[in-house]
Amino acid sequence: MRIGELSRRTGVPTRLLRYYEEQRLLSPERADNGYRDYGEAAVRDVQQIRGLLDSGLTTEMIRAILPYLSGPDEILLPADRLTDETAALLQAHVDRIQSRIDCLARNRDRLTAYLAAVRPGAAP
């Protein structure tokens, strides 16, 4: 399929699809006329890329793990293929996620306590 069709099917603008290619996240074939030609698997790949970016992963991290993703719930990266650099990138991301979770939990608790103080008897 051409880039416009991939854009329509994924909801991702063609400009971003070209960026993903520049970042080596997508590797379309090229037709004789130079047009990009994406296989059916590109739809799933783009959806995965969007989900990983939305979760805060960088394109560098995504490039390292994308070949080993079989779907949104499973990473099939053999332990012997996990480099120290990739492991460190992933651990740093896990740490950032945990920090955000901790911050959100503190804010939730503070707001809940405030509401309980100013509106006694109100359901949370």
Side-chain angles (χ1 to χ4, degrees):
M1 81 187 85
R2 303 244 303 265
I3 195 168
E5 175 67 15
L6 182 59
S7 175
R8 279 187 293 285
R9 291 183 59 188
T10 61
V12 174
T14 57
R15 183 170 167 256
L16 270 179
L17 295 172
R18 288 186 195 98
Y19 174 75
Y20 297 161
E21 184 181 350
E22 288 172 16
Q23 295 299 307
R24 299 187 330 260
L25 300 177
L26 291 176
S27 300
E29 300 290 324
R30 292 286 182 158
D32 291 339
N33 59 7
Y35 288 178
R36 293 168 177 82
D37 185 24
Y38 295 91
E40 191 63 33
V43 173
R44 178 187 53 87
D45 290 344
V46 169
Q47 292 167 339
Q48 288 231 272
I49 291 165
R50 291 300 316 150
L52 293 167
L53 287 169
D54 288 346
S55 77
L57 266 67
T58 65
T59 56
E60 181 182 6
M61 287 185 261
I62 295 169
R63 187 171 41 254
I65 65 170
L66 190 62
Y68 305 104
L69 298 177
S70 65
D73 300 323
E74 192 171 15
I75 298 176
L76 301 173
L77 175 59
D80 62 334
R81 299 293 306 267
L82 180 64
T83 65
D84 290 341
E85 180 180 284
T86 300
L89 284 172
L90 295 174
Q91 184 60 55
H93 185 64
V94 168
D95 294 344
R96 282 191 302 277
I97 289 172
Q98 188 59 56
S99 292
R100 288 195 325 240
I101 290 169
D102 295 344
C103 179
L104 289 169
R106 281 191 307 274
N107 289 340
R108 178 204 58 216
D109 294 346
R110 288 177 188 141
L111 290 171
T112 300
Y114 170 76
L115 288 172
V118 298
R119 300 180 82 194

